[in-house]
């Protein structure tokens, strides 16, 4: 069974549908030979096939302000049309699964959060693929089964207001957050259950629980939404946030706000990944788009949008530190356990807020 962190109940019910529905899906991987193609003839075959197909259909949770420049550049480079459907990550899964179970395979490329991509893999909607761009990607970009690959990361770091936290007070470890000077001055994003689970497993459950009980005793402000938390740090309402996305803090920094971020060990990331559909209607164009997204050109576009690229060929301070990816099993299989503990520690037993950016 799946236990989904961000899924609405409708999407969760869909993934928990009887196995019979899954068994009735068409079997086989019709494009496997193409997807695993390597060598000097690969690019020519992709270009020729993609031009015959003429278009590529993409389902993504990347907002249109950031996905638009990518599709525009792709269309200009290859003369192909893109059909992009954008929605929340759980709805990307819901639509892809619903269509597949109805025998419709309208999507060629899927790009969304790592746990949702893992759910799509478990639903057998993705296929393993190769790309010459893989050589430039960080090892953490690849799951063991390689049916999708990270194209961008969300990293959990601390964020602090430079007017309220002196340089010599900036924590260098998570244990430093327990210093008495930070009592009542910390903030936590309310729904990061996957980060919490990863931290607990890293420390070991007994030591992890002791740490988070001590953190709860610091009386942190609990707010929903990474964007909001970043704004509150910048305004000074929260002097120091424990679990902020570093790219959110960076966007405010470049605008002149008094906020900085810092990666503490262990730094955990939540991948956003791209995969090609197992039964894509336009497989050549699908693979060509995946190549483009992972290329230096595509990754540079993501960087200019203050996203964190997964390619080591595109330098960014937002990924220039040791990091680990959060195991999607924490979201898919262990959510109930970690949500209950988090709620008891920080939410007074109330329900964990879901799906707030």
């Amino acid at each position: 069974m799946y236990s989904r962190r961000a899924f609405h109940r409708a999407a969760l019910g869909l993934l928990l549908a009887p196995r019979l529905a899954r068994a009735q899906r068409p079997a086989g991987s019709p494009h496997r030979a193409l997807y695993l193609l390597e060598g000097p003839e690969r690019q020519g075959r992709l270009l020729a096939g993609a031009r015959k197909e003429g278009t590529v259909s993409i389902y993504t949770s990347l907002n249109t302000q950031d996905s638009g420049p990518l599709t525009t550049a792709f269309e200009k480079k290859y003369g192909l049309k893109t059909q992009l459907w954008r929605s929340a990550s759980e709805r990307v899964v819901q639509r892809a699964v619903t269509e597949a179970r109805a025998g419709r395979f309208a999507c060629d490329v899927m790009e969304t959060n790592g746990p949702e991509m893992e759910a799509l893999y478990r639903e057998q909607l993705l296929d393993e693929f190769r790309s010459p761009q893989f050589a430039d990607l960080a090892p953490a970009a690849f799951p063991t089964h390689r049916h999708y690959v990270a194209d961008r990361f969300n990293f959990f770091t601390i964020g602090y207001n430079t007017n309220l936290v002196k340089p010599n007070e900036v924590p260098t470890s998570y244990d430093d957050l327990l210093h008495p000077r930070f009592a009542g001055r910390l903030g936590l994003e309310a729904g990061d259950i996957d980060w919490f689970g990863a931290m607990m497993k890293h420390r070991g459950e007994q030591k992890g629980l002791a740490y988070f009980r001590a953190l709860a005793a610091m009386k942190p402000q609990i707010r929903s939404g990474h964007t909001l938390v970043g704004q509150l740090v910048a305004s000074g309402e929260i002097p120091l946030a424990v679990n902020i996305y570093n790219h959110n803090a960076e966007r405010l920094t470049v605008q002149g706000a008094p906020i900085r971020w810092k990666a503490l060990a262990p730094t955990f990331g939540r991948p956003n990944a791209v995969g090609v559909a197992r039964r894509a209607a336009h497989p050549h164009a699908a693979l060509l788009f995946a190549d483009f997204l992972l290329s230096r050109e595509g990754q540079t576009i993501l960087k200019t949008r203050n996203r964190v690229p997964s390619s080591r060929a595109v330098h960014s301070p937002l990924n220039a530190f040791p990091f680990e990816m959060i195991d999607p099993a924490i979201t898919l299989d262990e959510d109930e356990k970690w949500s209950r503990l988090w709620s008891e520690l920080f939410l007074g037993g109330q329900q964990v807020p879901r799906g707030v950016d």
Side-chain angles (χ1 to χ4, degrees):
M1 281 192 175
Y2 298 106
S3 176
R4 294 293 296 114
R5 174 186 179 273
F7 273 18
H8 296 306
R9 287 192 179 274
L12 180 57
L14 185 68
L15 290 174
L16 291 172
R19 292 184 179 179
L20 178 60
R22 299 178 189 176
Q24 291 175 342
R25 291 201 308 265
S29 299
H31 310 307
R32 185 166 180 78
L34 173 67
Y35 287 162
L36 297 182
L37 184 64
E38 297 180 280
E41 76 282 2
R42 178 182 183 274
Q43 186 68 4
R45 283 189 57 182
L46 289 188
L47 287 171
R51 284 166 182 158
K52 290 180 181 179
E53 293 163 355
T55 188
V56 60
S57 174
I58 305 157
Y59 290 0
T60 184
S61 58
L62 182 62
N63 65 50
T64 53
Q65 293 92 333
D66 294 343
S67 57
L70 284 166
T71 55
T72 298
F74 177 78
E75 290 177 346
K76 182 177 180 180
K77 183 170 186 174
Y78 293 113
L80 302 174
K81 294 181 179 180
T82 57
Q83 296 178 341
L84 187 140
W85 181 76
R86 190 266 172 186
S87 190
S89 56
E90 65 273 8
R91 295 192 182 277
V92 170
V93 176
Q94 184 180 18
R95 178 170 178 173
V97 172
T98 299
E99 290 178 344
R101 291 184 179 174
R104 295 183 61 241
F105 302 96
C107 180
D108 302 311
V109 177
M110 302 176 206
E111 196 277 350
T112 191
N113 297 339
E116 280 80 353
M117 293 299 289
E118 182 68 18
L120 290 167
Y121 160 69
R122 295 185 184 189
E123 285 287 313
Q124 303 177 35
L125 298 184
L126 303 175
D127 215 341
E128 184 179 359
F129 69 102
R130 300 279 191 271
S131 172
Q133 313 302 334
F134 285 1
D136 291 330
L137 302 184
F142 301 92
T144 56
H145 51 70
R146 301 175 76 92
H147 277 61
Y148 55 83
V149 59
D151 60 280
R152 53 194 173 96
F153 297 126
N154 291 326
F155 286 119
F156 294 98
T157 67
I158 64 168
Y160 59 94
N161 185 293
T162 55
N163 294 331
L164 300 175
V165 179
K166 298 177 182 177
N168 66 325
E169 296 176 343
V170 177
T172 60
S173 71
Y174 279 104
D175 288 336
D176 288 348
L177 297 171
L178 304 181
H179 193 284
R181 70 166 66 96
F182 293 121
R185 303 177 68 210
L186 300 176
L188 279 171
E189 202 288 322
D192 286 335
I193 304 305
D194 52 349
W195 171 79
F196 172 62
M199 290 286 288
M200 287 284 289
K201 295 176 90 167
H202 176 82
R203 287 177 173 260
E205 290 194 29
Q206 185 174 355
K207 292 182 179 179
L209 189 56
Y211 173 79
F212 279 102
R213 280 175 174 160
L215 187 64
M218 301 292 287
K219 304 298 182 183
Q221 295 186 51
I222 310 298
R223 299 300 181 92
S224 296
H226 299 96
T227 300
L228 174 62
V229 170
Q231 292 168 344
L232 294 176
V233 172
S235 70
E237 186 169 337
I238 295 177
L240 191 153
V242 177
N243 53 334
I244 194 172
Y245 286 162
N246 67 341
H247 69 268
N248 280 352
E250 187 70 14
R251 284 177 174 172
L252 295 167
T253 298
V254 299
Q255 293 171 9
I259 181 175
R260 297 293 184 274
W261 61 268
K262 183 174 182 178
L264 303 181
T267 300
F268 285 106
R270 181 187 294 155
N272 291 263
V274 62
V276 292
R278 185 170 60 92
R279 298 183 63 84
H282 310 102
H284 297 82
L287 201 51
L288 198 64
F289 184 83
D291 280 355
F292 177 79
L293 181 57
L294 299 171
S295 71
R296 186 188 297 266
E297 183 177 356
Q299 293 283 288
T300 298
I301 292 172
L302 287 175
K303 177 185 174 180
T304 62
R305 306 301 302 178
N306 283 315
R307 297 287 180 171
V308 186
S310 62
S311 176
R312 295 173 295 187
V314 178
H315 174 73
S316 171
L318 296 174
N319 62 10
F321 45 81
F323 58 83
E324 303 175 44
M325 287 295 102
I326 296 174
D327 185 349
I330 291 176
T331 299
L332 293 173
D333 306 320
E334 304 170 9
D335 179 79
E336 183 177 354
K337 171 184 177 180
W338 302 120
S339 293
R340 176 178 51 79
L341 279 174
W342 178 265
S343 176
E344 291 173 356
L345 287 166
F346 297 106
L347 304 179
Q350 297 181 13
Q351 186 175 357
V352 177
R354 306 292 188 175
V356 183
D357 188 12

